[in-house]
Amino acid sequence: MSENKKNEMTEEEYLKRHLSDLESGKKQAENAAINSDIPYVQQPEEVSRTTDLQFFNMDVRDLPCGEFYPTGTLFLVRPAQVREIQAYSMVDDNNFYDIIEKMNDMLQACVRIKYPDGKMGSYLDAKDQDRLFLIFLIRELTFQQGNSLVVNTKCGCGADIAIDLNRKHFVTHDIDEKLERFFNHSTKCYNFKTVNGKFFELTPPNIGLQKAFTDYIIKENNEKRTPNLSFLKIIPFMMPNRTSITYDGIKAKVKEFEEMDDISFQFLNSAVSKMTFGIKELKKNCECGEEVHTDMQFPTGASGIFVIHDAFEAYIKE
Ligand SMILES: [Zn+2]
């Protein structure tokens, strides 16, 4: 089934597919129990899809960019399976683009979006600035038996504080109050009129669109061209309702951008700077009553989000 077709499935079709998968999965499991000594064979694709049933529903209001999805949208998120953790474990901790790509692969496997009209969407529709929050949600679902990832810090009172990297300790960026009155609740975009007679509609880009821009940056770098970084910061916010753009499409946007008047550029640059969402920092209460804050970080690198740091010591049988 093509990815597009999957995205257009209604809730009913989606459920039906899951139920038929569940049936076939159950029979396979029975057979496996009887023939427990048969040699391992590669499982057909249908079997792995039965795990889609472990999807957990999350209201978009719990996401840092929740306000920018249609009201009533649900995120369906499931734990990572071993083969997905295996793929993720190969991430190059020193390569930003590889980290983003491996995280996107994880979201592709574990995240579905259900719109209020019953249509299904993929991770490509998720806001780019929700990526990390979703990754940590998948992590929590995956390691429910423990495996905490801890950031060590100190309280002002001198006590050592260990903050677990999980949702209850995340502080997200507040939405800049200067932006609020320009928010259009039906389109989920900001509408701005500027003194030079221009009108701009801005919203945080989704992962699909941001991926197209990332591919563009990589291509420009590989071909020894310097991409226009200020363009790449601003333009993705100016394309609401888009989940993709071609290389030539971006080229045309660059040309438009470079011919923009000064007031428009200065305004857009400042507006986009106010649109920082996502996880801002970590917070935990100390026993003394003080709130302890520290930077969001990956104590064992980006790979450590799904790879157990001391698995050798943890799992060796002495
Ligand atoms: Zn304290």
Side-chain angles (χ1 to χ4, degrees), residues 155 157 286 288:
C155 176
C157 75
C286 177
C288 75

Side-chain angles (χ1 to χ4, degrees), residues 155-159 161 285-290 292:
C155 176
C157 75
I161 304 287
N285 289 327
C286 177
E287 283 179 355
C288 75
E290 283 296 307
V292 183

